């Protein structure tokens, strides 16, 4: 018997999700779960996990935009007598029911299971909510539909890496994340879908005959285990080549023929690639730091604290300043130098520095030093007493950083006017990040790191609305997701001096050889501790650094 559990995660338990997607399971040949979440007026998200071979999809709501993203499994449907659609993980299918096409369609799952995120949008209701609650992020649904569908009612193709990331974030967090965060992610997805060109599959459709041929091959191989028939014989039956037959099968089922038979329900695995940015150091004679303000006025975009203090720096660099909205600026800094003096003047400004590449070292008391590596963030709030002037050092001779500077009063005012759906409690944000201190350092964590790197990579070309959305997302994450603290992000001034002493000795005393054991003995520590301190400071083993 077919049992499909449908759960509405809403106050009313009715009307959260359009009825179209949740109907039609009467004749399905399996089980499943559907979780419906009302994100805001006119927008619902459904998470569907189905274990069945097929079901009948029924559409009733004219003008509703439906975006389906394949999480896992395979999806197959036909929307005409001629063409079939095949969806694999990472693909999305988009439709807008016009009252004529697609009223009823048969959906098949070749692997016997399917996981999908379905986003359903009523443009009129969604547009009204956005105008009232997030006017800074207007969505032109007519342009969105045109970009996605053109003159058609249905399309399918790869989502692309940026959209895929947001789809998967929604899928993984819908059951526990606060509604404000989910609303923010849906707006981000709409902006991406409407403004980033979609990568279309070369030919996402195949004929009904070709699909039937793949099914015939599968059925034959699964049922006729005793009488062996080769692929060559099956291909000859249909007057096509063996390679064409294998290609059709893999297109339908996502794996080679014999792999399908051997493994049955094989799970898809995704691989993430992280790009490491290289930034090489060169010795500079004259300090030249170019500062570019990407703003209408070219003044006041960035607080003066971060852009001052380069007079006595021993190298070169570039700083690009972007005013995101009132009270919030982003600076992208690429420095080729050994050190510079940081000067703070603005009391109450919250400063968040994320290390992109290189190493950063500074001291904020006579006792402790801070060492930042890629993926770490340093957060401070100048109180007029601590950190007015501090010396920043770059042990590798270069440093890439994103600096987010926030004036809570001005930023809060802008948010109340332009994005009231996403209020930020800056007092709670500061408390979560700093507690009773004025400065902290630690790992950003994977979700915050992803947003920092998105901002770093897209600040120079992305529309301001998208950047504003990402900064709001970052604030929500920093304020509401517990930070992973490093076990001991600080080290003593003596430990840091010891690492510097070792480095200076090894670089200057090339003639008189002194072993690590001798240097460790001088300071009454073990060799392994000495190696650990060096790597913590310079990001690489001792002899790697020298070489």
């Amino acid at each position: 018997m077919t049992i499909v559990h449908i759960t509405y995660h809403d106050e009313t338990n009715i009307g959260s999700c359009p009825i179209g997607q949740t109907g039609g399971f009467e004749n399905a040949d399996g089980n499943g779960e559907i979780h419906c979440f009302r994100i805001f007026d006119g927008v619902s998200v459904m998470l569907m996990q189905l274990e069945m071979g097929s079901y009948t999809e029924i559409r009733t709501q004219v003008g509703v935009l439906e975006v389906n993203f394949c999480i896992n499994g395979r999806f197959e449907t036909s929307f005409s007598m001629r063409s079939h659609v095949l969806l694999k993980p990472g693909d999305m299918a988009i439709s807008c029911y016009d009252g004529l096409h697609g009223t009823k369609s048969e959906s098949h799952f070749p692997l016997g299971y399917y996981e999908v995120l379905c986003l359903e949008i009523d443009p009129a209701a969604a547009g009204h909510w956005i105008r009232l609650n997030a006017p800074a992020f207007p969505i032109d649904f007519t342009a969105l539909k045109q970009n996605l569908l053109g003159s058609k009612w249905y399309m399918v193709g790869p989502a692309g890496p940026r959209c895929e990331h947001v789809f998967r974030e929604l899928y993984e967090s819908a059951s526990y994340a606060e509604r404000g965060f989910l609303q923010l992610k849906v707006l981000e997805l709409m902006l991406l879908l409407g403004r980033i060109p979609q990568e279309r599959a070369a030919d996402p459709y195949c004929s009904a005959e070709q699909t039937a041929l793949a099914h015939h091959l599968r059925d034959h191989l699964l049922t006729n285990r005793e009488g062996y028939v080769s692929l060559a014989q099956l291909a000859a039956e249909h007057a096509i080549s063996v390679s064409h037959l294998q290609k059709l099968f893999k297109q339908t089922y996502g794996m080679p023929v014999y792999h399908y038979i051997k493994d049955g329900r094989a799970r898809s695995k995704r691989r993430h690639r992280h790009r490491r940015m290289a930034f090489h150091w060169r010795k500079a004679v004259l300090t030249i730091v170019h500062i570019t303000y990407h703003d209408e006025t070219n003044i006041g975009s960035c607080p003066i604290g971060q852009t001052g203090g380069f007079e006595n720096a021993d190298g070169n660099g570039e700083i690009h300043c972007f005013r995101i909205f009132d009270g919030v600026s982003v600076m992208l800094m690429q420095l080729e130098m050994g050190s510079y003096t940081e000067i703070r003047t603005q009391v109450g400004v919250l400063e968040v520095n994320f290390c992109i590449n290189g190493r950063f070292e500074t001291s904020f008391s006579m006792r402790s030093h801070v060492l930042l590596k890629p993926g770490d963030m340093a957060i401070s709030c100048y109180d007029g007493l601590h950190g007015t002037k501090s010396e920043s050092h770059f042990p590798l001779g270069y440093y890439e950083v994103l600096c987010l500077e926030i004036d809570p009063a001005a930023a809060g005012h802008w948010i109340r006017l332009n994005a009231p759906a996403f209020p930020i409690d800056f007092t709670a944000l500061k408390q979560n990040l700093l507690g009773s201190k004025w400065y902290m350092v630690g790992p950003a964590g994977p979700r915050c790191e992803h947003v920092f790197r998105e901002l770093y990579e897209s600040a120079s070309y992305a529309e301001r609305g998208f950047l504003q959305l990402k900064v709001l997302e970052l604030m929500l994450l920093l304020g509401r997701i517990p930070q992973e603290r490093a076990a001991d992000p600080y080290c003593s001034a003596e430990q840091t001096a010891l690492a510097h002493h070792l480095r200076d000795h090894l670089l200057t005393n090339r003639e008189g050889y002194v072993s690590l054991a001798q240097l460790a003995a001088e300071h009454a520590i073990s060799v392994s501790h000495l190696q650990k301190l060096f790597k913590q400071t310079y990001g690489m083993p001792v002899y790697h650094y020298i070489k």
Side-chain angles (χ1 to χ4, degrees):
M1 181 172 67
T2 299
I3 301 176
V4 177
H5 297 282
I6 303 174
T7 306
Y8 294 89
H9 300 268
D10 190 29
E11 297 83 358
T12 60
N13 276 2
I14 59 172
S16 300
C17 305
I19 194 171
Q21 273 276 12
T22 57
F25 287 105
E26 294 79 6
N27 300 317
D29 58 347
N31 301 322
E33 288 187 12
I34 300 177
H35 292 268
C36 302
F37 300 85
R38 177 178 170 272
I39 305 301
F40 52 79
D41 293 348
V43 175
S44 296
V45 163
M46 286 186 287
L47 312 183
M48 306 174 71
Q49 296 177 325
L50 306 176
E51 294 185 355
M52 56 183 66
S54 63
Y55 91 104
T56 303
E57 185 172 351
I58 301 170
R59 296 179 179 87
T60 60
Q61 295 190 324
V62 176
V64 167
L65 194 62
E66 184 182 302
V67 184
N68 288 276
F69 175 78
C70 177
I71 299 290
N72 203 8
R74 282 294 194 280
F75 171 83
E76 173 193 322
T77 193
S78 59
F79 55 90
S80 74
M81 294 295 290
R82 183 188 64 83
S83 297
H84 277 54
V85 172
L86 299 170
L87 241 68
K88 61 184 184 298
D91 286 348
M92 63 181 179
I94 301 169
S95 64
C96 187
Y97 179 53
D98 59 5
L100 298 173
H101 304 93
T103 303
K104 183 177 180 181
S105 60
E106 292 295 324
S107 300
H108 301 277
F109 312 116
L111 300 181
Y113 66 95
Y114 187 51
E115 290 182 75
V116 63
L117 181 147
C118 175
L119 177 67
E120 292 196 337
I121 304 168
D122 177 343
H128 180 70
W129 185 92
I130 292 169
R131 285 191 294 275
L132 290 179
N133 296 280
F137 312 112
I139 304 294
D140 184 338
F141 286 101
T142 302
L144 176 65
K145 180 181 173 183
Q146 180 62 33
N147 185 58
L148 295 174
L149 298 175
S151 59
K152 300 178 181 179
W153 77 276
Y154 194 106
M155 68 76 58
V156 64
R162 299 185 75 173
C163 287
E164 178 171 354
H165 179 85
V166 181
F167 276 122
R168 292 190 181 275
E169 268 195 305
L170 279 170
Y171 186 80
E172 292 166 5
S173 61
S175 62
Y176 67 84
E178 295 185 20
R179 181 172 289 187
F181 179 78
L182 299 178
Q183 291 169 343
L184 205 65
K185 299 309 293 183
V186 166
L187 285 175
E188 178 185 357
L189 189 57
M190 289 178 182
L191 288 173
L192 290 173
L193 290 172
R195 300 172 188 180
I196 296 179
Q198 301 303 314
E199 301 171 15
R200 309 298 187 190
D203 185 10
Y205 310 137
C206 60
S207 70
E209 291 77 13
Q210 290 174 322
T211 305
L213 174 56
H215 292 333
H216 170 71
L217 173 61
R218 188 272 315 268
D219 294 341
H220 181 88
L221 292 171
L222 288 180
T223 58
N224 189 19
R225 295 294 182 93
E226 296 178 4
Y228 173 77
V229 178
S230 68
L231 294 185
Q233 288 174 281
L234 287 170
E237 281 184 26
H238 297 274
I240 61 173
S241 68
V242 172
S243 61
H244 190 191
L245 192 61
Q246 291 171 320
K247 181 180 178 181
L248 284 175
F249 190 95
K250 188 171 183 180
Q251 184 179 9
T252 304
Y253 296 101
M255 59 188 76
V257 176
Y258 296 114
H259 189 177
Y260 181 90
I261 299 169
K262 181 180 179 182
D263 294 341
R265 289 176 51 168
R267 295 287 179 181
S268 300
K269 295 181 180 179
R270 298 172 63 240
R271 294 182 179 177
H272 298 276
R273 295 181 178 178
H274 299 278
R275 180 167 67 94
R276 184 180 182 272
M277 291 175 286
F279 199 69
H280 300 286
W281 171 73
R282 63 178 183 271
K283 185 67 177 177
V285 178
L286 177 68
T287 299
I288 303 175
V289 177
H290 297 283
I291 303 174
T292 306
Y293 294 89
H294 300 267
D295 189 30
E296 297 84 356
T297 61
N298 275 4
I299 59 172
S301 301
C302 306
I304 194 171
Q306 274 276 10
T307 57
F310 287 104
E311 294 77 8
N312 299 316
D314 58 346
N316 300 322
E318 289 188 11
I319 300 177
H320 292 268
C321 303
F322 301 86
R323 177 177 170 274
I324 305 301
F325 53 80
D326 292 347
V328 175
S329 296
V330 163
M331 287 185 287
L332 312 183
M333 305 174 72
Q334 297 178 327
L335 306 176
E336 297 182 350
M337 56 184 63
S339 63
Y340 92 103
T341 303
E342 185 172 351
I343 302 171
R344 295 178 178 88
T345 59
Q346 295 191 325
V347 175
V349 167
L350 194 64
E351 184 183 302
V352 184
N353 288 277
F354 175 78
C355 177
I356 299 291
N357 203 10
R359 280 294 193 282
F360 170 84
E361 174 193 319
T362 193
S363 58
F364 56 89
S365 75
M366 293 296 291
R367 185 188 62 82
S368 297
H369 276 55
V370 173
L371 299 170
L372 241 68
K373 60 185 184 298
D376 287 347
M377 62 180 179
I379 301 170
S380 64
C381 186
Y382 178 53
D383 59 4
L385 297 173
H386 303 92
T388 303
K389 183 178 180 181
S390 60
E391 292 295 325
S392 300
H393 300 275
F394 313 115
L396 299 182
Y398 65 93
Y399 187 51
E400 289 184 77
V401 64
L402 179 146
C403 175
L404 177 68
E405 293 195 336
I406 304 168
D407 178 343
H413 180 70
W414 185 93
I415 292 169
R416 286 190 293 274
L417 290 179
N418 296 280
F422 313 113
I424 305 295
D425 184 339
F426 286 101
T427 301
L429 175 64
K430 180 182 173 183
Q431 179 63 33
N432 185 59
L433 295 174
L434 298 175
S436 59
K437 301 177 181 178
W438 78 276
Y439 194 105
M440 68 76 59
V441 64
R447 298 186 75 173
C448 288
E449 178 170 355
H450 178 84
V451 182
F452 277 123
R453 292 190 181 275
E454 268 196 305
L455 279 170
Y456 186 81
E457 293 168 3
S458 61
S460 62
Y461 67 84
E463 294 186 18
R464 180 172 289 186
F466 178 78
L467 299 177
Q468 291 170 342
L469 206 63
K470 299 308 293 183
V471 166
L472 285 175
E473 178 185 358
L474 189 57
M475 289 177 181
L476 287 174
L477 289 173
L478 291 172
R480 299 173 188 179
I481 296 179
Q483 300 304 315
E484 301 172 16
R485 309 297 187 191
D488 184 10
Y490 310 136
C491 60
S492 69
E494 290 76 15
Q495 290 174 322
T496 306
L498 175 57
H500 293 332
H501 169 70
L502 174 61
R503 189 273 313 268
D504 294 341
H505 179 88
L506 292 171
L507 289 180
T508 57
N509 189 18
R510 295 299 181 92
E511 296 178 2
Y513 173 76
V514 178
S515 67
L516 294 185
Q518 289 173 280
L519 288 169
E522 280 183 26
H523 298 273
I525 62 173
S526 67
V527 173
S528 61
H529 191 192
L530 192 61
Q531 291 172 320
K532 181 181 178 181
L533 283 175
F534 189 94
K535 190 172 183 179
Q536 184 180 8
T537 304
Y538 295 100
M540 60 187 73
V542 176
Y543 295 113
H544 187 180
Y545 182 91
I546 298 169
K547 183 181 178 182

